[in-house]
Amino acid sequence: MALVGRTAMWWARLRSPYPTGAPFCFPPWRPTGLAADWRLYSSRGKEKLDMSMYPVESIRNFSIIAHVDHGKSTLADRLLEITGTIAKTDCNKQVLDKLQVERERGITVKAQSASLFYNHEGVNYLLNLIDTPGHVDFSYEVSRSLSACQGVILVVDANEGIQAQTVANFYLAFEAQLTIIPVINKIDLKNADPERVEKQIEKLFDISADECVRISAKQGTNVEKVLQKVIEKIPPPQCNTADPLKALVFDSTFDHYRGVIANIALFGGEIQKGHKIVSAHTKKRYEVNEVGILTPSEQPTHKLYAGQVGYVIAGMKEVTEAQIGDTLFFYKQPVEPLPGFKSAKPMVFAGMYPVDQTEYNNLKSALERLTLNDSSVTVHRDSSLALGAGWRLGFLGLLHMEVFNQRLEQEYNMSVILTAPTVPYKAVLSSAKLIKEYGKEEITIINPAQFPDKLSVSEYLEPTVLGTIVTPHEYIGKIIALCQDRRAVQKDMLYMDEHRVMLKYLFPLNEIVVDFYDALKSLSSGYASFDYEDAGYQTADLIKMDILLNGNPVEELATIIHNDKAYATGKYICERLKDAIPRQLFEIAIQAAIGKKIIARETLKAYRKNVVAKCYGGDITRRMKLLKRQAEGKKLMRKIGNVEVPRDAFIRVLKRQTDK
Amino acid sequence: MRGQVRGCPSPIRTVCPWPYCRKRCSYCNFNKYVVPTVDEVAVRACLVQEARTLLRLSQVQSVTSVFFGGGTPSLASPRTIAAVLEAVAGAAHLPVGAEVTLEANPSSISPARLAGFREAGINRSAILLPLQSLDDAELRLLGREHTAAEARGAVEAARRLFPGRTSIDLLFGLPGQSQDAWARGLAAALGLCDDHISLYQLTLERGTALAAQVWGGTLPAPPQDLLADMYQTARAMLVAAGFRHYEVSNFARKGALSTHNLSYWRAEQYIGVGPGAHGRFVPRGEGGCSREARVQTLEPDAWMREVRSQGHGTRRRVVLSPLEQLEELLALGLRTDEGVTHERWGHFSPQLSLQAVFGEPGEAQDLQQQGWLLLDSG
């Protein structure tokens, strides 16, 4: 997973001259006075760092985890400043979150790691801050990043307290058996209530209040104390340079000139230029061109040693060659790959079409460029009779989809039609013929056209997620009703304190992919937070619903849906179509059907007149123009039976509703 | 496409809009100007000059009708009307029976003024009254200057002076108008009217006050089905009162059809004189042999400058291709109850008959089977 953006930001900032008189100190490896452009500089034979001066005992690998907007990026800024990794200026305000979507949603999309150098009680420490993307869509990436750490800083807002994502993040770290340093941020705010947050932490996470560090990342209060805690509490990595090379890939980016830059954590051995390495996943062989540390831009070093974190460039041409979670080892010394590797698994699918077919090639090249850096998006060519040529894209989750779409629009100026998202269903086949045809018993269904009939299936399965909701208690009633409406099953309910409640529900994924988050935010006046994690598949009473126009099925509107939701959804689609299809010379029956059974119907009455306006001298030219436009429009309409359906009608029904 | 043979349409019609109004109506986006004073002598001179120039260009022998349209031509003085008619008569033959129509606003015609117009024109004139409504509240909504009582008075006065030759316009589908209110209004109009009525569904035109209110949500938009019901009700009431529904928006009894307007729907030639006027004719005077769509300059001052310097203020001329001419012929002819005659079609398309084009299997034949279209051999 990689949605790049940050490296470039750092780059831009580092190139700009520092304000005169701004206090800053240099990292140990950086000669005084050379404040400019170190990436270019580093590429040309500056003396490389000798990383052997940082043995395992003086290394700490850690992440910062936090709910949206609780101050993770600001704290990272301060840590980088204190250790002299970046200059201290007034501009370091959540500089990492530069994408518009990051700022709008207050999330970190692209993680950026950095090595910090810090002298504590006379010892030089190498502190590797391994950043993580801040959203559950990327929970796999988060878990891989965490597996390179021995501890985490858990940041909680002193005003908002523990939120859904705090809980999810805590459990990720807890299950990975990492040391957790709770930090209560924003104590400078007027409504800050650190005691209450300490009590929540004690109650929910069983961490004593004394362990919490109260800070203001914005003002720099107590931030040094956090660094000291990192050194004192988090153990050094347990590994040995004498072992054979074993490196975890926890992130990767793509550089047009140098190819893939893989971020790695060494679990054993050492690595340097000229080494021949192999990917445990692809089995491909590479020769190392360059290794180095991230500061956070790449800083070449002679070698990297066990316990250290940095990057490797080894002639990989595509990001798919450096998949997150993969293990790298020496060609001649194979090792047991690190556990937990999974290929990126899309959980949400949506069709993407150019608004205008003449834009197809431009959109294609934009997609190619964007996916260069994001191997987790799957792209399959698709075409719809109504929307033309396009693609079916698979995303890790909803946010991932939104980020991708927004970047396409903002960075490539591409306007696209994105269809309502669907989830991958499964069917366990019972028909011997079908099993033979597919070569397996369990198949994944993405396209409704592939939906196998009930008679040849022993059961259908749908993906589920375990959702965590944290809310002020006054909204509980409404939220429980919302969850029940979404077929969710309550798993847990806990009062965190007298005001806040944490709810856990098992949701069918398809019930939350469209508008659940917006509905939750709206009925809780924005106070409830939500997070979810993958919870596998469950059996489900799935059916395929067809939409018929005067008895003829409309292929692109067929959907796979849960039986309980068929009536409401069918009715909704029929109503939307009724508004979207223009009246014609005859009556049109718009029906939703399951098999032969009609479950919803709307009737679009025949058009009764359209030329009642006056038509004399000056009106004639206008009328002829109008008729010509109508004739052009008719050419673009899709005929289903004798019904003419404008492309716009499909768009209105298929398109994701973002205006709710 | 009922076959009905009529005389060969070689003569020409003349359209002359008067582009000034006293007040802007809330629904109107016509090319019109509300100015404190109009230099009528100058406008008159230009209308006369342009009429002469264009008639010379068209090289027609005879003018069969003249229409003075809106803005508000009844604001012009009878002298101006007389001057234009004299110019037309001087440049071509204007038969005694020619239809000369003046669109008159109920608020701008006193019986004396109407009499003046009759003096100015030829005896057999028609007067057309865009009443729009006989309900004071509706008239206010439309931004009309007159009251329902004034409208009644105007119709009565016009009928006395132009018996059997007075027409009224009514608008339906006003925001908030009910089916009953419309039927009542139409019944009242039937009690008042002469032998010709035009009914127009209100079109919300961009840039008008009324459209802004409806699209802004302060006024309700009438539902499509209600509009269709209103139209059907009106048709039934008028037919019951002896009117012939001879065009989509026009009804006449006792043969009082507007021959001028029929010329549009029959795709005959007409010249447009005055700011923003539209014309369709073959400019034989300069050696042309193709029918052209012509538009005169919209803005009156610019139009006058052009007329003075080059004799006419034609701003745009587009040669209509044979296909475009046929498209117009069809789109307009199908608005009438007589349809497109074989003869008229043959005039525009000597090679390919109606039967050859529409008698073959295809969309047109589907429409015939569904009863939307009739192709006969008459």
Side-chain angles (χ1 to χ4, degrees), chain A residues 558-605:
Chain A
T559 43
I560 299 170
I561 193 170
H562 193 271
N563 206 355
D564 292 352
K565 290 295 175 100
Y567 175 75
T569 309
K571 189 167 181 301
Y572 174 74
I573 293 180
C574 290
E575 282 168 2
R576 292 267 299 262
L577 270 179
K578 187 186 173 186
D579 291 339
I581 298 176
R583 285 178 164 202
Q584 297 177 27
L585 290 174
F586 41 83
E587 191 174 280
I588 300 169
I590 303 167
Q591 295 166 310
I594 297 163
K596 296 223 180 323
K597 191 176 145 213
I598 303 294
I599 56 163
R601 177 188 168 122
E602 290 287 329
T603 305
L604 185 62
K605 286 197 204 144

Side-chain angles (χ1 to χ4, degrees), chain A residues 35 149 225 232 318 362 408 413 480 533 651:
Chain A
C149 299
K225 208 165 158 190
E232 286 161 10
E318 289 178 23
N362 292 339
L408 209 53
N413 197 23
I480 289 177
E533 58 189 287
I651 295 172

Side-chain angles (χ1 to χ4, degrees), chain A residues 583 585 605 607-609 611-618 620-624 627-628 634, chain B residues 172 200-201 203 205 225 228-229 232 248-250 261 264-265 270 278 280 327 332 335 372:
Chain A
R583 285 178 164 202
L585 290 174
K605 286 197 204 144
Y607 203 36
R608 295 170 63 192
K609 51 150 195 57
V611 289
V612 183
K614 67 188 170 69
C615 193
Y616 305 115
I620 294 172
T621 309
R622 265 200 289 175
R623 175 60 53 88
M624 294 313 294
L627 288 174
K628 276 218 170 87
K634 274 185 178 246
Chain B
F172 69 94
Y200 304 121
Q201 178 185 311
T203 307
E205 302 282 5
D225 281 327
D229 288 341
Q232 273 177 349
V248 168
S249 312
N250 286 278
N261 285 343
Y264 296 127
W265 307 318
Y270 50 97
H278 284 248
R280 291 277 190 286
E327 284 169 350
L332 296 167
R335 293 181 65 90
W372 294 105

Side-chain angles (χ1 to χ4, degrees), chain A residues 196-356:
Chain A
R196 184 173 67 93
V197 179
E198 279 169 1
K199 278 186 199 139
Q200 290 178 349
I201 289 174
E202 204 156 10
K203 178 153 190 188
L204 242 68
F205 303 148
D206 204 16
I207 299 175
S208 147
D210 316 330
E211 310 252 326
C212 296
V213 191
R214 296 183 186 184
I215 67 161
S216 162
K218 192 170 149 202
Q219 299 182 343
T221 319
N222 275 345
V223 175
E224 290 255 13
K225 208 165 158 190
V226 176
L227 276 179
Q228 287 154 16
K229 283 256 189 187
V230 165
I231 290 168
E232 286 161 10
K233 298 274 178 188
I234 298 176
Q238 299 289 315
C239 51
N240 198 332
T241 299
D243 289 345
L245 173 69
K246 190 181 214 179
L248 169 77
V249 177
F250 65 88
D251 199 358
S252 64
T253 52
F254 183 81
D255 181 293
H256 277 278
Y257 301 102
R258 301 191 288 174
V260 174
I261 301 169
N263 293 0
I264 52 169
L266 269 68
F267 281 66
E270 54 181 58
I271 189 167
Q272 69 180 76
K273 184 174 174 175
H275 279 164
K276 302 236 178 2
I277 56 167
V278 177
S279 146
H281 174 57
T282 65
K283 310 283 188 283
K284 280 191 189 161
R285 252 173 80 183
Y286 303 94
E287 182 175 323
V288 175
N289 296 330
E290 181 179 321
V291 294
I293 57 168
L294 298 155
T295 62
S297 57
E298 296 96 34
Q299 166 69 26
T301 60
H302 289 291
K303 285 186 179 182
L304 286 177
Y305 298 93
Q308 296 179 352
V309 171
Y311 70 94
V312 58
I313 299 172
M316 295 175 178
K317 299 214 166 40
E318 289 178 23
V319 276
T320 47
E321 293 175 73
Q323 287 206 24
I324 293 169
D326 197 1
T327 305
L328 303 176
F329 56 84
F330 281 150
Y331 169 54
K332 294 240 166 93
Q333 284 173 286
V335 297
E336 184 70 19
L338 291 154
F341 174 79
K342 286 188 283 188
S343 277
K345 188 177 68 175
M347 288 309 286
V348 173
F349 292 86
M352 184 177 272
Y353 299 88
V355 171
D356 180 345

Side-chain angles (χ1 to χ4, degrees), chain A residues 361-403:
Chain A
N361 282 324
N362 292 339
L363 181 56
K364 186 176 168 215
S365 94
L367 273 178
E368 278 165 1
R369 275 178 287 164
L370 207 46
T371 48
L372 261 184
N373 256 318
D374 189 352
S375 62
S376 55
V377 178
T378 61
V379 180
H380 295 287
R381 274 225 304 273
D382 198 0
S383 77
S384 148
L385 290 166
L387 304 179
W391 299 267
R392 179 150 287 268
L393 304 184
F395 302 97
L396 297 171
L398 273 183
L399 179 94
H400 186 204
M401 177 172 91
E402 232 151 82
V403 168

